[in-house]
Amino acid sequence: MRMLLSRTAGNLFWLGRYVERAGSTARLIEMGHRMAMLPGAYSTEEWNSVAAASGCLHLFDDEAKINDAAIIRTLILDRENPSSIRSCLEAARTNGRAVRTSLTMEMWEALNDGWRKLELMDAAQVQRELPGVLDWVKQRSSMLRGTVDSGMLRNDSYDFLRLGAHIERADMMLRLLDVKYFVLLPETDVIGGGRDHHQWTSVLHATSAIRAFHHIYRGDYSPGKIAEFLLLSPAFPRSVLYSYDLILTHLDRLANSYGDRHDCHETAARTTEELRRLGINEIFRTGLHEFVQDMIRTTRKLTAEIFRAYHL
Amino acid sequence: MYDEMSGSGDGTRPPYARIAEWIEHTGLDQLRQRSAEAEAIFRRIGITFAVYGEGGDPERLIPFDLIPRVFSAVEWARLERGIRQRARVLNAFLYDVYHRGEILKAGIVPANLVYQNAAFVPAMIGVEPPGRVYSHIVGIDIVRTGEESFQVLEDNCRTPSGVSYMLENREIMMRMFPGLFAGGAVQPVDDYPDDLRRTLQEVAPPACKGDPTIVVLTPGIYNSAYYEHSFLADLMGVDLVEAGDLFVDEGRVWMRTTRGPQIVDVIYRRIDDDYLDPLAFRPDSMLGVPGIFEVYRAGGVTLCSAPGAGVADDKAVYTYVPEMIRFYLGETPILENVPTWRCAQPDDCAHVLSHIDEVVVKEVHGSGGYGMLIGPKASEKERVAYAERIRKHPAEFIAQPTLQLSTVPSLGPKGIGKRHVDLRPYCLVGKQMRLVPGGLTRVALREGSLVVNSSQGGGVKDTWVLSS
């Protein structure tokens, strides 16, 4: 079996991760955009959640005044912000160039096609064409996934690429829940009630989960159901359990082909098992927020363990 | 002026019959449209050269001219013999200067030209590279000035680039105009990557037992030829590494992999000598692999090309290649040199200074078309300033007559016009020599221009050698 350069594996991991992040950020912004159009005063609050869930709240001067223009500048176009969509797509392409020999032609074309599009647009133009731009970003992400799915050899390169994508996906979902957990607390915990299903569904919208949720729960928008769906659904491909399932699958594949296991395998197996076993009521009993924060830490630790195990 | 399609007259030379008919049949509008399509394909695939730090698009395309350049089988047979002769003698010269220095002792090549040359690596003295090969890929730049006259403009013994264009140009022509290639009229070039891999396998170091592990060493994605590095690694099925991926331990070179260190046997390096090993060459350099040169000397790894190979492609050394052919091989040079004045010699220097408006002056160590003076095209002011530089450091310059390079029909803004071209074939030297028919044709796309370098507005063409 041909050995995989550690740098190549690292580049593939980040390539997968950046492309996934660009797609998730686009979904988050779509949710903010949608909420801002609804009656009521959700706009600033929702844009705040978007900024926080993408881990970029600190980049905004005045949290009270976050609006669509500021979001577009910072989360879509800002070159200085490594998590902006533009930075993610450029970084993904740069990582791709560095490992050209591990990519199929179709994968490369998915990364290369229109890579300077955002560079050539200003904030006003993006704002005018926002839904189209966000669709384009999600398409980039889907295109790469599709080309990987249909053309990439199922070797260790594939596993590292997918590990990056699934770790990012789990992490993004957890950060969204970290920001939005209060919306999902049981009604009784909230003094005065006051929330409606728009707020609950915003969380579903942010992860393109609304249709899938309908399909399973038929419009039963209770916070418990939503939290259960996003954390523990074995069927929803953006749920935390689903992501962990795949992280474990890819780590197991590496262990099988390399013939050795590391502490990342332990951590992934234990966490996946726990997510499978736990019910949402149990999580609510111990505290949703604590659980989510704990999972964020675990995911970070797992990433570090993977890097150590494979010399990335 | 010699045009390769029409010769010196108005008709069409036989090798170009198919091309002439194709141009006629396709028409200018259609050619333009197909040319735009070709550019879109190149851009999409990412066949670019990187130019960072100049603003504008950091990844540029080398303009591709659709109209091929053609050699008959007979023309190529002669070129091929000349190229092989030259690649052989350049390696013989390198072995000699790093061992007994017979040619220097015989007074044929001045010793100071070698020993005081910046590209000469004293630490290579006495080193025995596998197969006695120093330059494994010899790129020889050839110009044509008439029906029968071909001349060598310069030799490239280090890491000549551009072969990826040779391969991609053919690929794209076959994709866009399959009819042109009907009946196997054109000899294929796509053996090159396999030939290169076999060549590299043949020069495995003494320490290698079994099948050698080969890698291509690149400076990284910001290097202008990065695409080519990744392309060649990919087609050979070997890893593309950066210096940071390699380290030295227990007398071998290792690469860092996800399963721990793995031994590397042969390195096709696309980085300069200076950046190979900070311990041996540039202590100030952060680049390179510390200790790799010592491993090389001890036979633990093969570097292709060998450190110090550049001493053979210096423009002043170039002028002695015909003498080398007589000295080492006892043969008559098959390909001539361009007549060259060596400014280091007072008579030559005086001639150059008094004819500076007629000649092309080049820096001895220059490359890429930078730093040269084309006398007839330069302004009076430029000529005066350049003459001053020659007077100060005569040994740094050579001069050649302004050659009327042959032209080939090319697509220009005003229609199809004659543009000057040169040719770079790539001769592979391992235990055997290998040469794919053809090479890279570079074309000066600006009307009347003689500079074919991509950094100076040059483009490329598919190059055909017809089947006999």
Side-chain angles (χ1 to χ4, degrees):
Chain A
M1 184 180 144
R2 184 151 149 210
M3 302 275 192
L4 178 63
L5 280 178
S6 293
R7 179 178 50 85
T8 305
N11 277 316
L12 287 165
F13 180 92
W14 287 109
L15 163 59
R17 187 152 194 178
Y18 281 126
V19 170
E20 183 65 30
R21 186 175 299 175
S24 317
T25 305
R27 279 175 227 279
L28 277 178
I29 297 172
E30 261 180 351
M31 179 273 287
H33 186 60
R34 183 190 162 82
M35 294 304 285
M37 286 188 290
L38 292 176
Y42 300 124
S43 174
T44 305
E45 187 188 325
E46 290 305 333
W47 286 129
N48 260 300
S49 314
V50 170
S54 62
C56 296
L57 198 56
H58 62 284
L59 296 174
F60 293 85
D61 298 334
D62 185 350
E63 290 177 18
K65 289 192 184 144
I66 298 182
N67 57 17
D68 53 348
I71 286 283
I72 285 167
R73 272 197 311 275
T74 310
L75 292 192
I76 299 185
L77 292 177
D78 187 1
R79 284 200 84 163
E80 307 298 313
N81 172 15
S83 289
S84 77
I85 289 176
R86 178 177 166 190
S87 298
C88 283
L89 292 179
E90 282 187 19
R93 182 178 177 279
T94 303
N95 276 279
R97 273 196 87 204
V99 295
R100 268 298 291 267
T101 54
S102 308
L103 307 185
T104 64
M105 186 58 80
E106 285 74 20
M107 285 168 67
W108 169 249
E109 288 183 4
L111 289 172
N112 191 43
D113 188 24
W115 72 284
R116 300 184 74 213
K117 180 185 169 97
L118 291 178
E119 186 183 329
L120 304 171
M121 291 180 94
D122 61 18
Q125 198 185 349
V126 173
Q127 194 159 1
R128 275 196 308 278
E129 302 168 18
L130 187 61
V133 171
L134 296 174
D135 275 343
W136 175 80
V137 174
K138 287 191 297 176
Q139 277 163 15
R140 311 290 354 121
S141 177
S142 307
M143 184 94 78
L144 181 78
R145 265 198 308 278
T147 55
V148 169
D149 191 62
S150 64
M152 192 178 186
L153 270 182
R154 268 28 178 190
N155 54 15
D156 43 357
S157 293
Y158 171 74
D159 292 317
F160 284 105
L161 180 82
R162 291 309 230 181
L163 276 173
H166 293 304
I167 282 183
E168 176 64 24
R169 198 179 276 192
D171 190 48
M172 189 58 124
M173 178 61 87
L174 288 164
R175 277 185 287 132
L176 179 69
L177 292 171
D178 186 34
V179 171
K180 287 289 209 175
Y181 76 95
F182 60 91
V183 174
L184 300 173
L185 291 177
E187 292 281 24
T188 49
D189 288 8
V190 180
I191 297 162
R195 283 163 309 153
D196 57 35
H197 82 280
H198 283 305
Q199 280 190 304
W200 298 332
T201 55
S202 76
V203 188
L204 294 172
H205 276 295
T207 53
S208 305
I210 190 90
R211 294 269 179 117
F213 183 86
H214 264 304
H215 200 81
I216 294 180
Y217 295 97
R218 313 257 170 220
D220 179 8
Y221 293 121
S222 74
K225 292 275 189 295
I226 292 174
E228 180 180 52
F229 186 65
L230 298 180
L231 276 172
L232 304 178
S233 167
F236 176 52
R238 315 194 77 81
S239 81
V240 177
L241 170 59
Y242 193 92
S243 298
Y244 257 87
D245 248 340
L246 284 170
I247 291 168
L248 184 60
T249 303
H250 288 290
L251 285 175
D252 281 344
R253 280 171 45 92
L254 286 173
N256 285 337
S257 66
Y258 289 2
D260 47 16
R261 300 180 73 83
H262 304 273
D263 45 4
C264 57
H265 294 92
E266 276 312 300
T267 306
R270 201 178 50 241
T271 312
T272 311
E273 180 47 41
E274 192 184 348
L275 286 166
R276 279 197 197 118
R277 184 178 46 79
L278 281 175
I280 196 68
N281 292 334
E282 213 175 328
I283 291 176
F284 274 128
R285 261 200 306 282
T286 53
L288 175 63
H289 198 207
E290 287 72 13
F291 178 77
V292 166
Q293 289 194 322
D294 202 40
M295 279 295 299
I296 289 176
R297 276 191 295 273
T298 305
T299 308
R300 205 170 291 154
K301 173 169 159 258
L302 174 63
T303 310
E305 286 171 354
I306 292 171
F307 272 57
R308 252 199 321 278
Y310 298 109
H311 318 280
L312 302 190
Chain B
M1 199 166 73
Y2 181 78
D3 183 67
E4 297 192 7
M5 180 139 111
S6 55
S8 307
D10 289 331
T12 300
R13 292 174 60 244
Y16 277 84
R18 197 177 271 223
I19 298 293
E21 191 192 325
W22 171 69
I23 292 175
E24 178 75 32
H25 179 76
T26 312
L28 189 59
D29 288 348
Q30 180 74 1
L31 283 176
R32 285 226 166 89
Q33 192 189 328
R34 302 309 297 271
S35 176
E37 280 172 36
E39 180 174 325
I41 296 173
F42 277 119
R43 170 95 44 204
R44 197 167 49 123
I45 300 175
I47 308 174
T48 55
F49 67 108
V51 185
Y52 288 90
E54 282 186 11
D57 191 344
E59 289 169 26
R60 298 181 198 167
L61 290 177
I62 291 190
F64 171 64
D65 188 84
L66 277 188
I67 303 175
R69 192 256 187 105
V70 188
F71 292 107
S72 71
V74 174
E75 284 169 337
W76 176 253
R78 181 178 146 213
L79 283 173
E80 172 161 11
R81 278 186 294 123
I83 293 159
R84 286 172 181 260
Q85 182 186 54
R86 200 140 175 134
R88 198 147 47 100
V89 86
L90 289 166
N91 275 294
F93 171 73
L94 284 163
Y95 186 81
D96 188 24
V97 302
Y98 287 113
H99 291 83
R100 297 168 59 95
E102 305 280 7
I103 201 166
L104 313 176
K105 287 181 198 148
I108 292 169
V109 175
N112 63 358
L113 198 57
V114 171
Y115 295 139
Q116 284 165 35
N117 197 305
F120 183 77
V121 176
M124 282 296 290
I125 293 171
V127 174
E128 189 79 16
R132 298 192 172 177
V133 183
Y134 289 77
S135 177
H136 307 78
I137 300 106
V138 187
I140 295 178
D141 293 348
I142 298 173
V143 298
R144 183 173 201 175
T145 52
E147 183 71 34
E148 295 293 328
S149 41
F150 292 92
Q151 290 155 319
V152 175
L153 200 56
E154 67 181 61
D155 306 294
N156 298 275
C157 296
R158 297 171 229 207
T159 52
S161 63
V163 76
S164 56
Y165 294 104
M166 171 185 87
L167 297 166
E168 293 284 17
N169 292 348
R170 175 61 55 81
E171 196 66 32
I172 210 159
M173 285 302 287
M174 292 182 70
R175 184 155 147 185
M176 295 182 71
F177 305 103
L180 267 180
F181 297 87
V186 183
Q187 296 191 39
V189 293
D190 57 3
D191 286 340
Y192 184 84
D194 284 338
D195 285 353
L196 177 58
R197 198 189 54 240
R198 287 189 197 108
T199 301
L200 297 171
Q201 277 167 345
E202 284 173 3
V203 294
C208 169
K209 309 287 175 237
D211 197 20
T213 299
I214 299 167
V215 298
V216 177
L217 174 60
T218 175
I221 63 167
Y222 297 107
N223 184 267
S224 64
Y226 177 75
Y227 172 75
E228 176 157 303
H229 306 162
S230 71
F231 179 80
L232 289 175
D234 202 12
L235 290 184
M236 287 193 287
V238 305
D239 278 307
L240 177 67
V241 304
E242 295 177 17
D245 297 323
L246 302 178
F247 65 95
V248 165
D249 193 29
E250 295 176 349
R252 299 300 307 262
V253 176
W254 306 76
M255 59 180 172
R256 294 173 225 274
T257 80
T258 53
R259 308 177 68 180
Q262 196 204 347
I263 286 180
V264 172
D265 299 298
V266 182
I267 301 178
Y268 174 29
R269 49 99 173 209
R270 294 290 298 254
I271 64 177
D272 292 342
D273 284 357
D274 277 354
Y275 301 106
L276 263 180
D277 185 346
L279 299 181
F281 296 97
R282 296 242 320 233
D284 58 321
S285 167
M286 296 293 288
L287 304 164
V289 185
I292 198 170
F293 187 63
E294 209 37 60
V295 177
Y296 171 73
R297 288 214 305 188
V301 71
T302 303
L303 297 170
C304 304
S305 57
V311 74
D313 66 17
D314 178 284
K315 290 190 179 67
V317 171
Y318 152 88
T319 61
Y320 294 94
V321 176
E323 280 101 317
M324 290 178 201
I325 294 172
R326 292 185 194 96
F327 181 79
Y328 294 115
L329 310 177
E331 295 173 6
T332 310
I334 298 163
L335 292 170
E336 299 157 32
N337 264 14
V338 176
T340 304
W341 294 281
R342 303 163 181 147
C343 297
Q345 295 176 359
D347 288 357
D348 281 16
C349 190
H351 177 89
V352 169
L353 289 170
S354 59
H355 294 81
I356 196 158
D357 57 338
E358 296 168 16
V359 299
V360 177
V361 194
K362 296 176 180 175
E363 294 174 350
V364 169
H365 309 300
S367 68
Y370 288 108
M372 62 190 230
L373 177 88
I374 300 178
K377 304 252 151 129
S379 68
E380 183 59 26
K381 207 175 140 195
E382 285 167 334
R383 287 197 288 254
V384 169
Y386 212 96
E388 195 48 44
R389 292 178 55 203
I390 300 174
R391 277 190 203 94
K392 261 195 191 132
H393 301 289
E396 298 289 304
F397 299 92
I398 53 133
Q400 294 167 336
T402 308
L403 293 177
Q404 279 307 317
L405 308 190
S406 60
T407 57
V408 173
S410 304
L411 207 51
K414 291 187 231 142
I416 294 170
K418 297 173 175 181
R419 295 290 184 275
H420 297 288
V421 294
D422 78 352
L423 173 71
R424 174 178 288 182
Y426 300 86
C427 187
L428 298 169
V429 189
K431 284 194 177 123
Q432 298 176 33
M433 276 203 199
R434 299 176 171 90
L435 181 62
V436 299
L440 178 66
T441 290
R442 299 185 296 178
V443 50
L445 288 171
R446 277 196 290 270
E447 197 170 353
S449 168
L450 292 166
V451 187
V452 297
N453 303 85
S454 59
S455 50
Q456 314 268 311
V460 293
K461 280 173 173 290
D462 187 19
T463 308
W464 290 9
V465 173
L466 300 180
S467 310
S468 44

